[in-house]
Amino acid sequence: MALQLGLVGLPNVGKSTLFNALTDAGATVANYPFTTIDPNVGVVPVADDRLARLGEIVEPERLVPTSLRVVDIAGLVKGASHGEGLGNQFLSHVRGVDAMAMVVRCFENPDVAHVTPELDPVEDIETIDLELVLSDLAILERHHEKLQGMAKAHPRERREEAEVISRALDALRAGTAIRDMDLGPEQRFYLADVPLLTAMPRLYVANVSESDLPDGGTLADQVRAHAQRDDAPVIVLCAELEAELNELPPEDASEYLASCGLDRPGLDRMITTGYGLLHLITFFTTTGGKEVRAWTLRQGQTALDAAATVHTDMARGFVRAEVVPFAELDRLGSLGAARDAGKIRLEGRDYVVQDGDVIHIRFAV
């Protein structure tokens, strides 16, 4: 299954408007809580200037960008971890994603109800964080009980795991997210099979008024300050503006953005940031004059993984990979020139693919 970025937040913060702008999928948007019950899922192209440049070099019939799955999850409310607002159902949807984009309301609008009397973006974030911590605590306590039963039969084998779980429980009880714990890779391994929400990477999306672009105003500044403590990226955008841009011709959209002090849509920045948050890279393939396509891999994956991403037959019959870095191809201007300059390398199945590699897989049928 494709990796997924989940949009989470309180009701009426603009998640569904943002989702519609991202995917043009027509998710229902309305001014009342729980408009979104079942999660909406859309596939979003990842903007990449390198793909356009490869199009100039190869001149194919079509360019195909890589993509990311985005999930619009119903608004969480205070008490969600105890079932408030269908909270348990909604929290289960959050557990199904790989990273979360927390959409925070940073705009004043008397016509759009807010779940609290005063608009306080940091308090909204803390409300959601508390529910995520309480939900993780309940799940980890149940996991700990099972572990204690297994540890009775094999105390030595389970000792380190039990210690890590106990530390994690103490952290959650103190209100600390699992991702903020000082744990090594081996210790985190013991938590990998437990679907913990506070272990997920996250980014913040400050949804602001158009008049507060490009920086977002004082409310967005509050989100930035909180995110800095959380060591998380922040994207400032206006969801309504992003939706309007989809209705405009490209030239008019560019002029509209420029009038707001922006050089590219916030959605592009959000997806690019989410892509990086999931530790993803892009490689490219070309089939002569027919197609240049971008593909997604996790950092650290190999040429064999790249072959399997394109087609299982390629992985099954893998012979070698012909690889040229995008930077070299961009500099030299053609595949022929790259080949003449000796910049196209032959790599085996264990080669670790680098971001921007242009790869041609040789395989036996």
Side-chain angles (χ1 to χ4, degrees), residues 225-281:
H226 183 88
Q228 188 172 12
R229 295 192 296 271
D230 204 17
D231 194 26
V234 178
I235 303 299
V236 174
L237 53 74
C238 172
E240 288 190 352
L241 169 64
E242 300 293 333
E244 291 173 12
L245 291 174
N246 288 341
E247 306 298 323
L248 297 176
E251 185 176 338
D252 291 346
S254 296
E255 291 180 2
Y256 195 174
L257 281 170
S259 71
C260 296
L262 300 169
D263 58 357
R264 61 175 178 147
L267 299 183
D268 286 358
R269 291 181 283 118
M270 177 183 163
I271 293 301
T272 301
T273 302
Y275 198 71
L277 195 67
L278 289 166
H279 303 292
L280 305 178
I281 63 170

Side-chain angles (χ1 to χ4, degrees), residues 86-108:
L86 303 180
N88 290 327
Q89 178 182 347
F90 296 167
L91 286 167
S92 70
H93 295 156
V94 183
R95 295 187 196 285
V97 303
D98 302 284
M100 65 176 73
M102 188 178 293
V103 184
V104 187
R105 178 170 170 170
C106 295
F107 64 88
E108 299 277 3

Side-chain angles (χ1 to χ4, degrees), residues 158-237:
R158 297 286 183 172
R159 181 179 300 161
E160 185 176 0
E161 182 179 4
E163 289 175 355
V164 171
I165 299 301
S166 293
R167 283 182 59 194
L169 284 169
D170 289 342
L172 289 170
R173 289 173 183 137
T176 300
I178 298 299
R179 65 179 169 276
D180 294 332
M181 291 183 64
D182 184 17
L183 297 173
E186 292 183 0
Q187 293 171 313
R188 289 195 179 275
F189 172 79
Y190 295 122
L191 296 168
D193 292 333
V194 188
L196 299 175
L197 300 172
T198 65
M200 285 183 189
R202 70 163 60 171
L203 65 93
Y204 293 98
V205 179
N207 185 15
V208 305
S209 299
E210 182 178 332
S211 59
D212 285 327
L213 291 171
D215 296 326
T218 57
L219 294 177
D221 286 341
Q222 293 175 31
V223 175
R224 287 193 189 92
H226 183 88
Q228 188 172 12
R229 295 192 296 271
D230 204 17
D231 194 26
V234 178
I235 303 299
V236 174
L237 53 74

Side-chain angles (χ1 to χ4, degrees), residues 24-357:
D24 204 20
T28 301
V29 182
N31 178 26
Y32 52 88
F34 312 124
T35 303
T36 305
I37 302 298
D38 295 322
N40 296 298
V41 181
V43 179
V44 182
V46 178
D48 194 323
D49 293 339
R50 296 172 299 183
L51 183 63
R53 173 57 180 150
L54 287 172
E56 295 173 354
I57 293 171
V58 179
E59 297 183 347
E61 294 176 7
R62 61 182 177 273
L63 297 174
V64 183
T66 190
S67 60
L68 185 69
R69 287 168 67 91
V70 177
V71 184
D72 176 24
I73 296 166
L76 298 171
V77 295
K78 187 174 183 178
S81 59
H82 300 294
E84 292 293 330
L86 303 180
N88 290 327
Q89 178 182 347
F90 296 167
L91 286 167
S92 70
H93 295 156
V94 183
R95 295 187 196 285
V97 303
D98 302 284
M100 65 176 73
M102 188 178 293
V103 184
V104 187
R105 178 170 170 170
C106 295
F107 64 88
E108 299 277 3
N109 187 337
D111 296 328
V112 180
H114 191 53
V115 293
T116 58
E118 299 294 329
L119 180 57
D120 185 334
V122 174
E123 182 179 335
D124 291 352
I125 292 169
E126 291 174 346
T127 295
I128 295 174
D129 278 341
L130 177 60
E131 297 307 320
L132 300 182
V133 164
L134 291 173
S135 180
D136 277 1
L137 185 58
I139 283 183
L140 200 57
E141 283 176 340
R142 291 195 293 270
H143 179 76
H144 191 227
E145 290 175 3
K146 293 179 182 178
L147 179 62
Q148 286 178 318
M150 293 184 287
K152 290 180 181 178
H154 304 282
R156 291 185 179 179
E157 291 85 344
R158 297 286 183 172
R159 181 179 300 161
E160 185 176 0
E161 182 179 4
E163 289 175 355
V164 171
I165 299 301
S166 293
R167 283 182 59 194
L169 284 169
D170 289 342
L172 289 170
R173 289 173 183 137
T176 300
I178 298 299
R179 65 179 169 276
D180 294 332
M181 291 183 64
D182 184 17
L183 297 173
E186 292 183 0
Q187 293 171 313
R188 289 195 179 275
F189 172 79
Y190 295 122
L191 296 168
D193 292 333
V194 188
L196 299 175
L197 300 172
T198 65
M200 285 183 189
R202 70 163 60 171
L203 65 93
Y204 293 98
V205 179
N207 185 15
V208 305
S209 299
E210 182 178 332
S211 59
D212 285 327
L213 291 171
D215 296 326
T218 57
L219 294 177
D221 286 341
Q222 293 175 31
V223 175
R224 287 193 189 92
H226 183 88
Q228 188 172 12
R229 295 192 296 271
D230 204 17
D231 194 26
V234 178
I235 303 299
V236 174
L237 53 74
C238 172
E240 288 190 352
L241 169 64
E242 300 293 333
E244 291 173 12
L245 291 174
N246 288 341
E247 306 298 323
L248 297 176
E251 185 176 338
D252 291 346
S254 296
E255 291 180 2
Y256 195 174
L257 281 170
S259 71
C260 296
L262 300 169
D263 58 357
R264 61 175 178 147
L267 299 183
D268 286 358
R269 291 181 283 118
M270 177 183 163
I271 293 301
T272 301
T273 302
Y275 198 71
L277 195 67
L278 289 166
H279 303 292
L280 305 178
I281 63 170
T282 299
F283 72 95
F284 303 92
T285 60
T286 175
T287 54
K290 291 186 177 181
E291 177 183 277
V292 172
R293 181 184 289 260
W295 305 85
T296 298
L297 280 183
R298 279 192 182 275
Q299 290 177 8
Q301 288 192 297
T302 66
L304 187 63
D305 295 317
T309 299
V310 177
H311 200 288
T312 54
D313 287 346
M314 285 190 174
R316 191 178 300 114
F318 184 94
V319 175
R320 66 180 182 273
E322 298 177 358
V323 182
V324 57
F326 168 79
E328 293 290 351
L329 188 54
D330 180 33
R331 180 176 65 85
L332 293 167
S334 74
L335 287 167
R339 192 177 302 278
D340 292 342
K343 297 301 182 180
I344 297 182
R345 309 187 311 269
L346 300 182
E347 300 286 358
R349 63 176 57 205
D350 295 329
Y351 167 71
V352 177
V353 177
Q354 302 300 305
D355 185 49
D357 278 350

